[in-house]
Amino acid sequence: TDAEVSTRKKTFTEVQTERLDQAERTVLIKCPSKINEKKLLQYLSSHGNVKSHFFFENRGISALVEFSEKSSIASLQDAVGIPGASEHHVVPFKSRLFTFTLKNPVSQRVEETQLHLSPQCHIPVKDLIQKLCLADSISSQMYILLNEYQLTEENIKLRFLACSLVRDFTRAYFPDSSVKPFGSSVNTFGKLGSDVDMFLDFRNTGKHATKMKKGPFEMEYQMKRLPSERLATQRILSVIGDCLDNFGPGCANVQKILNARCPLVKFSHQPTGFQCDLSVSNSIAIRSSELLYIYGCLDSRVRALVFTIRCWARVHGLTNSAPGTWITNFSLTMMVMFFLQKRSPPIIPTLDQLKELADEKDKHVIGGYDCSFVSDLRKIKPTKNTETLDVLLGEFFEYFGNFDFRKNSINLRKGKEVNKPESSPLYIWNPFEQDLNISKNVNQPQLEKFIAMARESAWILQKEDKTQQMINKEPWGLAALLIPFGKSNSSRVKNRMKGIGNDTIRSLLDSLKLNNANSQQKAVGK
């Protein structure tokens, strides 16, 4: 659609700025169960023009309401009362979270209408498989999966609102601060139900720097000095964490994890239903989010393939929401990007090619690492590659099923296999911090399981007789790959392992058995 094309062409920063601005004009209302949509909107409009709204289910019915003007919120807040302190005493923090109840419910029940509720989670894998069987090609199966799993417009608004509500707290201490989402919430690869990663940003806007040049004095604030940036980060997060815990409406299970490599505060934000991770700005993580955003916008096959591979990996227990020796979603995504760079002709450019297209405003050097790449999507030439997703899916499994992991590493800057700099089983160069391996956590048995599953999947796609399977109403194509292997064909999987190294086969087969039992529940999880 035209609308989609115009949203697709915006730069990452433009989209972020627009969404953050939208979130500042937004409130969240817990509604009575017998809510009349027309009456609610009629009332809200008395405080100003309502630009957009939607309802969703979250322990009852909630409405996200975006006003055209920020001043409408203050007008509404003036009309809202403080809850009566019958059994609890309240912390008198006035947020943009409200509860509406009907004054006289009986008289209003008559004109009850059916509300449209926006789904905030994706369908279970077993329901997805049934939908996929009705498609006419693997390509359309992959787009069905993408449509079921990707973030909706409504869900994205809710994510930015969660950040904006946290920012209301940080501004009490740091009036210039902002709280922005990064990672899967903004990189076009987010899945419904995933956590919201957010960071606290203190960076001044460029306007401020020009004012400082004027006048005869060098002027600076007197600020508290601490021995390290890490200590400052820990102190700030500790206080904000306490603040959310003590005063934040709907902030529950607040955990401060301040000794991690990247200190963070985890909490569950009940009004929006999200699990949130708050850290202090990490410029490199934001560059990674933008790089993926660019790749996701360049060609519709990119996202379809990534969502498919991630869902496939989850079903087969190759990825897991708990940290461990599993391949992470980020590593898998980078493997898909690398594969697409290696096609002939390439479907997406290498990072070095994106860097060559960068102009002055795209130059970013962070902690000595060059993180420059072009931000304007129009400067990137569209690919001449016309391969279908049917072909690409099979080729992906073929490529990594036969990849020489012992010798080679995956480098997205060059788009080339390069010799491994050290002996980790799986070596994927961090695109920006060139001395880091983003898949350092992956052990040999997990890598071998990935190879076996890739080979098995390539084999299933090659041997299948689609027409026959459709006549027999059997799962075919992508649907056949989303059913855990090993029930009927564990002997075949054993054969795929030949030449992979005997010592790990036993532990691998054990983990296969373990995974079969619970991988379908897991696939639904995240």
Side-chain angles (χ1 to χ4, degrees), residues 302-370:
V302 178
R303 294 171 64 240
L305 188 57
V306 168
F307 274 80
T308 298
I309 296 300
R310 294 205 310 205
C311 182
W312 166 83
R314 176 46 67 91
V315 166
H316 297 298
L318 296 172
T319 54
N320 196 307
S321 46
T325 54
W326 296 275
I327 296 179
T328 62
N329 271 330
F330 184 57
S331 293
L332 269 182
T333 304
M334 289 306 185
M335 289 167 88
V336 175
M337 297 305 159
F338 183 71
F339 164 75
L340 295 172
Q341 290 174 341
K342 296 275 297 172
R343 299 312 289 163
S344 176
I347 293 180
I348 55 172
T350 66
L351 186 47
D352 279 347
Q353 289 165 337
L354 292 178
K355 185 180 150 184
E356 280 165 32
L357 295 169
D359 59 21
E360 259 326 292
K361 70 173 185 338
D362 296 326
K363 295 267 183 285
H364 288 266
V365 177
I366 302 165
Y369 296 106
D370 190 343

Side-chain angles (χ1 to χ4, degrees), residues 180-195:
K180 300 174 183 169
F182 70 97
S184 67
S185 296
V186 296
N187 65 17
T188 75
F189 295 97
K191 173 172 132 185
L192 283 173
S194 61
D195 297 355

Side-chain angles (χ1 to χ4, degrees), residues 210-267:
T210 48
K211 284 188 185 155
M212 280 167 63
K213 294 196 176 82
K214 296 189 176 131
F217 299 109
E218 285 291 340
M219 302 178 291
E220 60 183 29
Y221 286 105
Q222 293 181 18
M223 287 177 167
K224 192 167 192 78
R225 292 176 191 273
L226 293 171
S228 72
E229 183 183 13
R230 181 174 173 83
L231 187 62
T233 296
Q234 288 169 326
R235 292 220 182 151
I236 291 167
L237 284 174
S238 181
V239 172
I240 301 295
D242 284 340
C243 206
L244 292 170
D245 200 8
N246 289 302
F247 308 146
C251 294
N253 314 327
V254 178
Q255 286 170 285
K256 298 193 279 187
I257 305 170
L258 302 179
N259 290 321
R261 193 176 69 87
C262 174
L264 77 155
V265 174
K266 281 177 115 50
F267 61 98

Side-chain angles (χ1 to χ4, degrees), residues 341-468:
Q341 290 174 341
K342 296 275 297 172
R343 299 312 289 163
S344 176
I347 293 180
I348 55 172
T350 66
L351 186 47
D352 279 347
Q353 289 165 337
L354 292 178
K355 185 180 150 184
E356 280 165 32
L357 295 169
D359 59 21
E360 259 326 292
K361 70 173 185 338
D362 296 326
K363 295 267 183 285
H364 288 266
V365 177
I366 302 165
Y369 296 106
D370 190 343
C371 303
S372 310
F373 55 82
V374 66
S375 58
D376 184 347
L377 291 158
R378 289 164 304 190
K379 290 185 182 165
I380 305 167
K381 285 200 181 70
T383 175
K384 295 200 161 51
N385 181 305
T386 57
E387 291 174 297
T388 64
L389 281 167
D390 304 50
V391 170
L392 292 171
L393 183 62
E395 291 285 326
F396 175 87
F397 293 130
E398 194 70 33
Y399 179 73
F400 282 113
N402 297 297
F403 188 89
D404 188 352
F405 289 103
R406 261 171 291 209
K407 182 172 139 257
N408 289 333
S409 65
I410 291 170
N411 186 320
L412 281 97
R413 283 206 89 87
K414 311 249 175 301
K416 278 212 261 305
E417 301 153 8
V418 277
N419 283 342
K420 274 206 266 198
E422 46 100 351
S423 65
S424 296
L426 174 61
Y427 197 106
I428 304 174
W429 297 69
N430 180 313
F432 302 116
E433 296 171 86
Q434 280 285 285
D435 41 8
L436 292 182
N437 169 12
I438 64 171
S439 50
K440 204 175 172 60
N441 63 307
V442 179
N443 65 12
Q444 194 63 32
Q446 286 298 327
L447 176 63
E448 291 179 4
K449 188 177 163 188
F450 170 81
I451 296 167
M453 293 299 181
R455 289 178 182 179
E456 176 69 2
S457 300
W459 189 79
I460 288 176
L461 289 177
Q462 275 159 15
K463 66 128 182 112
E464 92 175 348
D465 175 355
K466 177 176 130 185
T467 333
Q468 200 46 52

